[in-house]
Structure formats: structure tokens, C-alpha cells
Amino acid sequence: MRRTKQEAEETRLAIMSKALELFSEKGIAATSLSEIASGAGVTRGAIYWHFKNKWDLFDAIWQHYCEPIDRLGQASHDEDETDPLGKLAELLKLILINAEQDVDFRRMLIMCMRETSIWSGEVPERIEAFIDEIHQRRIRTLRNAMRKGQLPDTLDAEAGSLMIKVMIEGVIVSWLQRPQCFSIAERADQIVDSILVVLRHGVRLPGS
Amino acid sequence: MRRTKQEAEETRLAIMSKALELFSEKGIAATSLSEIASGAGVTRGAIYWHFKNKWDLFDAIWQHYCEPIDRLGQASHDEDETDPLGKLAELLKLILINAEQDVDFRRMLIMCMRETSIWSGEVPERIEAFIDEIHQRRIRTLRNAMRKGQLPDTLDAEAGSLMIKVMIEGVIVSWLQRPQCFSIAERADQIVDSILVVLRHGVRLPGS
DNA sequence: GTTTACATACATGCGCGTCTGTATGTAAAC
DNA sequence: GTTTACATACAGACGCGCATGTATGTAAAC
């Protein structure tokens, strides 16, 4: 039966929220629409009313939850930025803090890490494009920082970007395995300082 | 129709070999018996003739392919071993070389890494027990090496064992991503030397 | 009265385990 | 050596549960 427009929108958001939760816990492929529906307190019919199929649901989640994450990364790779390294450090701290304290942010992060793992199958295009865009932004930031003398010329920007990714993800994975043992948010400063130390020593890719 | 005993055994081995190949490529859960069967040139009926179910097939694979791997690790953790660190180094080199050059060994390794990844679901008991057994052996070896003055007392054996695992797996994953860019087997000496350097500096777990 | 926002029913495909049928190996009887 | 009886090693079909997408029913909003 028909609901109010507000109720319908609440249903839509509940579906997306539960889907994101389950996608991050089990992966997109291994999550069934039935469990999303029952978790959101509706039936599969409601999902199909609001979304064309599972991938349309994923797209909607992406649009809804990704924009704040995207916005986080805007400032630091601008070429006019006078303190690119400082901005990058702020960004990395914010990512770490949000990873621990913002549930939706964390779930998006985990879903992306899961879907891009070496052991996963085909990476959804949107996720792949996003990860690549973020990687390019980091490269630009690192190059900007090198031009401004903040980082040594011996730094390979691509290697540096990968190193940042690996270290941030490594910390988040470690925390996911034992969340009661330490707090990322409390140690965000230290963690980011460690990354900066590594960058200042210059990083190169094996074989380059 | 009936085959000779030899042919039947060949069918059984073909099924196991193809299953191991696909388990390592896609994971156990995501591999269907149909694709194993067609890959081995038989039907699912033949699989059910030889094995009770998918997990019986997995058990048979484990028994068939795991014994040589198990044998690899026997020597180095014996308490009477006079050069535990040397033996450990030999073992690690052998693992790296076999990872590149022995297809079955590599597939078993990849299957285990895949099934024990943080993103995977429930770990098969046999794999979990095996990984834990190997971990305990490394701990015993490291403690033995410390008693013999080969490694510093500041080394936390458990952390050292985990570090070894992470570094070996990291190298293998990197190689899997770009096998034409470098050879693990050729660099086995260097890689193992790097691990020994880290161990000699002493390793502790975060928070300990 | 029409449209909407669902719930429910239906159709289809996939994967698994079970069952049946078939051709052939093998050993024993003749 | 030939024939027979039985067992074996499969191929292929069946039934079931699960998941997805589509069609239809229903009550309430508009």
C-alpha cells in the first residue's frame, strides 16, 4: 500500500544504509537482496520499487555516501596550494579519524578496500575510477610539495602515493582486527607523522 | 562405463588438480563443482563418485598436496638444531623459490592466503590449524635462535613470526601482481637477508 | 478516481546432492 | 577360450533451495 512521500524516502534511505552495512561486511556479490530487505524491514519488492537492480542500488549508495568523501580530498592537490604537505597531513588525519568515528565513512572505506583486494574478482568501475582519481590527486600533491621544497627530489611521487595508501590501509586493517586495543583517532597525529618521515626519506618503487 | 583402475585414478587426480587450480584462482566458495568437472573433462557425477562433496574434495586435495609443504618445515624448529636461524633462512628461501617455480606449491599457498585474508569469511579449519602450526614452529625456531645468541633478546618471537609471514606474503602478492617485473626465486637471498636484518633489530608488537 | 509504495506471487537460472541408466572391467564358472 | 555375473566409473537427469528479476495484488496517498 502507498506511503507518504516522506515515509517512502525513509524506506529508500533505510535500504541504502542496510545495503552499505552488508556490502562492507560481506562484499557486494555475497550480499543478497533478501537479507538487505529483511534487514531494512521491507521486502524485496520495495527494493525493486526504488532501485532497478543491485547495481542500481550500489550506484545510489555511491552517489549518496561518496560525495562527502570526495569533498574531503579537494583542497590538498590544488596547484595554487601554498602548503600542500600540510594540507595532505590534515587530510590523512581526517581520514583516520573518520575511519574510526564516522560509521558511514568507515563502511564506504571498507567496502572499497574489500572490492579492490587482490583476492577479489572484477572491481566495480566506479570504485576503480575513484581509487585511481584519489591516487592521481595524491601524486599531484606530492609533486607540488616537492616543487615547494617540502619533500626531496628523490621521492618517486607514484611510489609515495602507493606507500601512503598501503600505510593508511594497513593501520585501518590492524584496527579492524583489534578495535579495542588501540584508537586510530587518538594516534592519528603519530601515524601521519610516521608517513611524513617515510616520505621525507624519499620512496622509490622496486625496480625503479 | 567402467574404466581401469589406473584410468579412474587419473580421473581422480585430474579432478583434484583442476579443483586446486580453481580454488586458488577464485576461492573455494566461488568455485562450482560444474566448472571443476568441465575443466577436468568429466561431469559432476564423476566428482561425486570419487568424493562425497566439495569439502571432501578439499580434504583430499589437502592430504595430497599438503604433505610436501609440511615436510618443508620440519627441520628448522627442532630444539636440537644447532643453527636454527640458518635453517629458517634456508626454509624461507625454499618457500620463495617454490612459490615461483612449483605450480602446485604456489596454488596451495595462494589458496591459503586467499582463504585467510581479512576479507574472507570463515576460514576452513584445516587451513587455520595449518597456519597456526606453522606460526608456532616459527616461534619455536626464533626462540631457539635467541637462546643460541643468533637473535637479540629484544625480539618478541610472536611479533617476529608475524613479521616473517607478512613480509613473505607481501613479496608473493607483489610478484603475483606483476610476475614479469621481477623474479622472487632470483632474489630469494636478498629477500631473506632483509627479513633477517629486521629480526636482528628486534621486533615488538604495537602496544607491547 | 488515479497513482503510488509497497507485499506477494511467479518465472527463471544456478549450484548442490541424489538417483538412475549405461558401458565396460574383472573374476569366476563353464 | 568364452560366457556370465557382478562391480565399477562414470554421464546425465531430477528435485530442492537460493537468488534475481518481473508481474500482479492491495491499501493508502494524492
Side-chain angles (χ1 to χ4, degrees), chain A residues 79-167:
Chain A
E79 299 225 355
D80 295 332
E81 174 58 54
T82 52
D83 181 19
L85 200 61
K87 276 294 193 296
L88 177 63
E90 280 175 39
L91 171 62
L92 296 179
K93 284 173 197 168
L94 216 43
I95 287 169
L96 290 173
I97 290 165
N98 284 342
E100 184 168 343
Q101 301 183 343
D102 180 335
V103 171
D104 292 334
F105 185 93
R106 181 166 70 246
R107 286 173 177 162
M108 286 293 284
L109 208 48
I110 292 174
M111 180 176 75
C112 288
M113 286 162 69
R114 180 186 277 280
E115 299 293 327
T116 56
S117 135
I118 182 173
W119 309 122
S120 82
E122 193 175 341
V123 182
E125 282 187 23
R126 277 182 173 245
I127 295 184
E128 189 161 15
F130 183 69
I131 298 296
D132 192 56
E133 168 65 21
I134 298 290
H135 177 53
Q136 297 303 326
R137 286 186 191 168
R138 280 196 303 260
I139 289 176
R140 285 196 291 270
T141 303
L142 293 179
R143 286 191 177 141
N144 202 9
M146 281 154 74
R147 275 199 300 273
K148 290 179 162 52
Q150 293 180 315
L151 291 175
D153 288 344
T154 50
L155 175 66
D156 178 305
E158 188 167 355
S161 177
L162 288 174
M163 176 64 61
I164 291 170
K165 180 171 185 289
V166 166
M167 288 176 81

Side-chain angles (χ1 to χ4, degrees), chain A:
Chain A
M1 67 184 186
R2 196 174 171 180
R3 272 81 171 186
T4 63
K5 289 193 173 189
Q6 174 171 348
E7 284 171 334
E9 182 61 20
E10 284 166 5
T11 298
R12 186 170 179 273
L13 292 176
I15 292 169
M16 290 202 296
S17 175
K18 176 57 68 174
L20 175 59
E21 177 188 339
L22 295 175
F23 287 167
S24 73
E25 282 173 16
K26 318 163 82 158
I28 297 169
T31 301
S32 73
L33 293 179
S34 290
E35 54 189 328
I36 295 171
S38 63
V42 299
T43 67
R44 290 194 301 110
I47 298 185
Y48 282 104
W49 172 261
H50 289 279
F51 310 101
K52 186 176 172 224
N53 52 36
K54 189 191 269 194
W55 287 108
D56 191 43
L57 170 56
F58 168 75
D59 286 343
I61 287 169
W62 195 263
Q63 286 184 41
H64 186 82
Y65 291 101
C66 198
E67 194 268 337
I69 303 181
D70 198 37
R71 217 188 317 124
L72 273 191
Q74 285 296 336
S76 62
H77 69 110
D78 188 339
E79 299 225 355
D80 295 332
E81 174 58 54
T82 52
D83 181 19
L85 200 61
K87 276 294 193 296
L88 177 63
E90 280 175 39
L91 171 62
L92 296 179
K93 284 173 197 168
L94 216 43
I95 287 169
L96 290 173
I97 290 165
N98 284 342
E100 184 168 343
Q101 301 183 343
D102 180 335
V103 171
D104 292 334
F105 185 93
R106 181 166 70 246
R107 286 173 177 162
M108 286 293 284
L109 208 48
I110 292 174
M111 180 176 75
C112 288
M113 286 162 69
R114 180 186 277 280
E115 299 293 327
T116 56
S117 135
I118 182 173
W119 309 122
S120 82
E122 193 175 341
V123 182
E125 282 187 23
R126 277 182 173 245
I127 295 184
E128 189 161 15
F130 183 69
I131 298 296
D132 192 56
E133 168 65 21
I134 298 290
H135 177 53
Q136 297 303 326
R137 286 186 191 168
R138 280 196 303 260
I139 289 176
R140 285 196 291 270
T141 303
L142 293 179
R143 286 191 177 141
N144 202 9
M146 281 154 74
R147 275 199 300 273
K148 290 179 162 52
Q150 293 180 315
L151 291 175
D153 288 344
T154 50
L155 175 66
D156 178 305
E158 188 167 355
S161 177
L162 288 174
M163 176 64 61
I164 291 170
K165 180 171 185 289
V166 166
M167 288 176 81
I168 293 284
E169 289 182 0
V171 167
I172 291 169
V173 165
S174 294
W175 179 74
L176 285 172
Q177 286 172 326
R178 303 181 302 171
Q180 58 283 5
C181 283
F182 69 101
S183 162
I184 305 185
E186 285 172 18
R187 301 190 182 191
D189 284 346
Q190 293 169 262
I191 292 164
V192 173
D193 284 348
S194 300
I195 294 174
L196 295 190
V197 165
V198 171
L199 292 177
R200 289 200 182 99
H201 274 87
V203 184
R204 308 201 75 82
L205 280 177
S208 70

